């Protein structure tokens, strides 16, 4: 098959802003919540596991605690910061990310 390249990824980061959108994905892949992945003063939440020998890290942007609304932290600022931190932490932990996916409505 000339011209076809097959890629294998050892580590994938999935950034989904809203917890309601992330929950079915985490459940389907059997991802487990990782306490302590992010610094404690950040709202971000991490889930992790393996799927067909690929490390899958799922991050959500957490809930608002500043204004007490309890709503999901939506928007480009929280999404970009949470994704950047997850990339940095993954690399520091010896799991550089090969692919970033950002599904969801935000």
């Amino acid at each position: 098959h000339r011209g076809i390249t097959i890629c294998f990824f050892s580590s994938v980061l999935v950034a989904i802003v809203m917890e309601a959108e992330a929950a079915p994905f985490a459940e389907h892949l059997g991802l487990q919540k990782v306490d302590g992945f992010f610094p404690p003063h950040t709202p971000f939440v991490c889930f992790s596991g393996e799927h067909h020998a690929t490390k899958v890290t799922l991050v959500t942007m957490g809930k608002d605690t500043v204004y007490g609304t309890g709503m999901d932290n939506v928007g480009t600022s929280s999404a970009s910061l949470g994704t950047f931190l997850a990339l940095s932490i993954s690399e520091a932990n010896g799991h550089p990310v090969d692919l970033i996916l950002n599904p969801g409505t935000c």
Side-chain angles (χ1 to χ4, degrees), residues 4-97:
I4 296 176
T5 303
I6 298 175
C7 297
F8 295 98
F9 302 107
S10 62
S11 182
V12 175
L13 173 66
V14 182
I16 302 178
V17 172
M18 299 175 68
E19 287 183 14
E21 293 174 328
F25 182 80
E27 185 177 320
H28 179 74
L29 292 181
L31 304 179
Q32 300 297 312
K33 186 174 180 182
V34 181
D35 292 321
F37 181 84
F38 288 108
H41 59 279
T42 64
F44 312 118
V45 181
C46 177
F47 298 85
S48 186
E50 288 202 6
H51 182 70
H52 296 290
T54 299
K55 179 172 179 56
V56 178
T57 303
L58 167 66
V59 296
T60 66
M61 303 315 137
K63 303 279 188 179
D64 166 51
T65 58
V66 174
Y67 299 104
T69 66
M71 302 297 290
D72 290 290
N73 287 319
V74 298
T76 56
S77 296
S78 61
S80 59
L81 181 57
T83 302
F84 172 78
L85 279 175
L87 287 169
S88 299
I89 292 166
S90 294
E91 184 152 342
N93 289 339
H95 300 286
V97 173

